[in-house]
Amino acid sequence: MTVHRTSSEPGALSTILAELRRVAALPLERGETLPPAAYTSPEMYTRETERIFGREWLCVARAEEIPEPGSYLRLDVLGVPLVITRDEEGELHALSRVCRHRFMDILPPETTPEHGSLKRLTCPYHTWTYRLNGQYAGRLAGAPLMRQVEFDSASCRLPAHSVEVWNGFVLLNLDPDATSPAPELAGLDRVLRRHGLEDWVSVETQNWRDIPANWKVAVENGSENYHHMGTHAATLEPLVPGRDTRVDDCDGRWFTMFTPYSADAVAAAAAEGTAPRGGPQRDGGAGPANGPGDGQDPPGMLIAGIFPQSVLAVVPDSAVWIRWMPTGPATHDTRITVMVPPDAPRPPDSDAYLVRLREQITLIQEEDLVAIRGVQRGLASDPAPSGGRFSHLERPLWQFQRYLADRLL
């Protein structure tokens, strides 16, 4: 009979953090996995939400989702109800959705679309309204029947959070003392600049809610191609073999790796007069080669990750962006968006293309979910210490441990 140790035991969190300190100091050739409790402990999760998700720049949306003045996007980050709006000058604002009167959600999902356009935020409970224009964004504009009480309406305002646009992605930070993310991402910015991602257009987005696994399990799965030969043996492996991946020597908040298309995929595409691609076939040219080098890489797939919760896969004619968001110690949400360049030719069978695209995303995600759920079940069983080592293809996981240690210790 297995005796399960719970994280509520005295000193459990300190034990986890001590082990994190130890493994994060190991060289890659002796790298080990984190202890199982790091993926199951409520205390560890609380520390992560406070020291990482409460302070870090999070990649939460595409700027095109809030396209024009008056546009809004509703989202929740670790239970914090937020709305991102665009003012008349084109600037984005990230505001609390919690009304300053009686704490009602101003844009309740029961009655409000995730995206839309409006002139002001109006709470549906007692119709208090808030401005969206420029420096006044979030300020109370109207509160009916409040003249007979002592009330300073001028000082009433929705809390605001830091928001920036980077390569077309919306970065959000809940920390009021946040500084610009640009210095930490400068190296990755140079890698992605030639793709012009800020203008790319989203063509498909899918969501998976409350997946039964710790968020780090999903991030680690999405940060290495080693699992292609097993998890994606019939889907990704024939096109982008994991064994051929070049993992770049990175450190800090971001990582990159590049996998060229397989010789068989290139030969088959040449025989058909097309180019191998990472998704359903489209009309038009293959576009530039993708890789983090000097542009001389053959066609293939570039993976670019930003810790703590975002990975981008770029192939010649499209890109897949994956965003993970924890919802509890052992649950998370996944959002997957497919983007194409703005000048990508529209295929004559657009509807059929989107159907194939949805089917492919679902298939690959379901393959990943088998692994993610299976790993979490193994972690929850209180297994014996791991006897394995990281493969050289799992370098980003070793880097992730160093990132976690920097934020949590």
Side-chain angles (χ1 to χ4, degrees), residues 94-351:
L95 302 171
S96 168
R97 293 204 319 265
V98 180
C99 182
R100 304 304 291 161
H101 177 220
R102 295 262 299 281
F103 311 115
M104 173 65 181
D105 186 343
I106 294 174
L107 298 172
E110 294 88 347
T111 58
T112 310
E114 182 181 37
H115 303 79
S117 182
L118 38 75
K119 293 183 178 180
R120 290 184 176 181
L121 289 172
T122 301
C123 178
Y125 200 11
H126 299 98
T127 67
W128 284 33
T129 60
Y130 300 87
R131 299 174 67 173
L132 296 179
N133 51 316
Q135 61 178 317
Y136 302 106
R139 179 175 290 184
L140 184 70
L145 306 178
M146 293 294 293
R147 295 181 179 178
Q148 299 183 37
V149 298
E150 294 183 8
F151 175 53
D152 182 11
S153 61
S155 65
C156 187
R157 192 167 192 164
L158 297 173
H161 303 282
S162 299
V163 63
E164 291 196 17
V165 177
W166 177 83
N167 281 286
F169 295 97
V170 177
L171 304 182
L172 171 76
N173 199 316
L174 300 178
D175 184 354
D177 299 321
T179 57
S180 173
E184 285 189 312
L185 299 179
L188 183 57
D189 194 45
R190 289 191 293 271
V191 173
L192 297 179
R193 188 174 298 151
R194 65 190 176 90
H195 295 286
L197 293 171
E198 64 272 11
D199 297 322
W200 283 36
V201 180
S202 300
V203 295
E204 174 69 9
T205 295
Q206 294 186 17
N207 293 285
W208 282 264
R209 307 290 188 190
D210 286 324
I211 296 169
N214 181 268
W215 67 278
K216 297 188 296 299
V217 175
V219 171
E220 290 174 344
N221 179 78
S223 299
E224 50 93 348
N225 292 344
Y226 186 29
H227 72 289
H228 282 196
M229 66 184 69
T231 300
H232 305 300
T235 51
L236 292 178
E237 178 70 9
L239 181 65
V240 280
R243 65 176 62 85
D244 295 335
T245 299
R246 181 191 73 217
V247 183
D248 298 305
D249 187 7
C250 303
D251 205 353
R253 278 207 65 189
W254 60 272
F255 68 87
T256 53
M257 53 188 175
F258 177 75
T259 308
Y261 287 132
S262 69
D264 289 344
V266 171
E272 297 175 1
T274 62
R277 305 171 191 273
Q281 294 295 309
R282 298 175 59 91
D283 291 340
N290 292 322
D294 58 4
Q296 300 306 307
D297 289 311
M301 179 174 67
L302 165 69
I303 298 288
I306 302 177
F307 300 132
Q309 46 69 264
S310 180
V311 163
L312 179 70
V314 186
V315 294
D317 68 339
S318 62
V320 176
W321 170 46
I322 307 177
R323 183 205 78 183
W324 299 280
M325 197 65 69
T327 56
T331 58
H332 70 275
D333 290 343
T334 297
R335 184 179 182 91
I336 300 178
T337 298
V338 181
M339 306 176 295
V340 298
D343 57 353
R346 183 179 178 85
D349 60 342
S350 296
D351 292 342

Side-chain angles (χ1 to χ4, degrees), residues 39-107:
Y39 303 88
T40 60
S41 163
E43 291 82 4
M44 180 69 165
Y45 175 71
T46 297
R47 195 175 185 93
E48 292 167 347
T49 58
E50 293 172 350
R51 298 198 176 196
I52 295 179
F53 289 91
R55 301 179 185 178
E56 196 70 276
W57 286 95
L58 306 176
C59 200
V60 297
R62 289 287 294 172
E64 63 175 295
E65 297 182 73
I66 317 101
E68 57 190 9
S71 296
Y72 76 84
L73 169 66
R74 187 190 69 238
L75 73 159
D76 294 83
V77 177
L78 273 73
V80 179
L82 302 169
V83 58
I84 299 178
T85 64
R86 191 180 293 276
D87 66 24
E88 69 279 5
E89 300 297 328
E91 296 297 320
L92 295 180
H93 302 269
L95 302 171
S96 168
R97 293 204 319 265
V98 180
C99 182
R100 304 304 291 161
H101 177 220
R102 295 262 299 281
F103 311 115
M104 173 65 181
D105 186 343
I106 294 174
L107 298 172

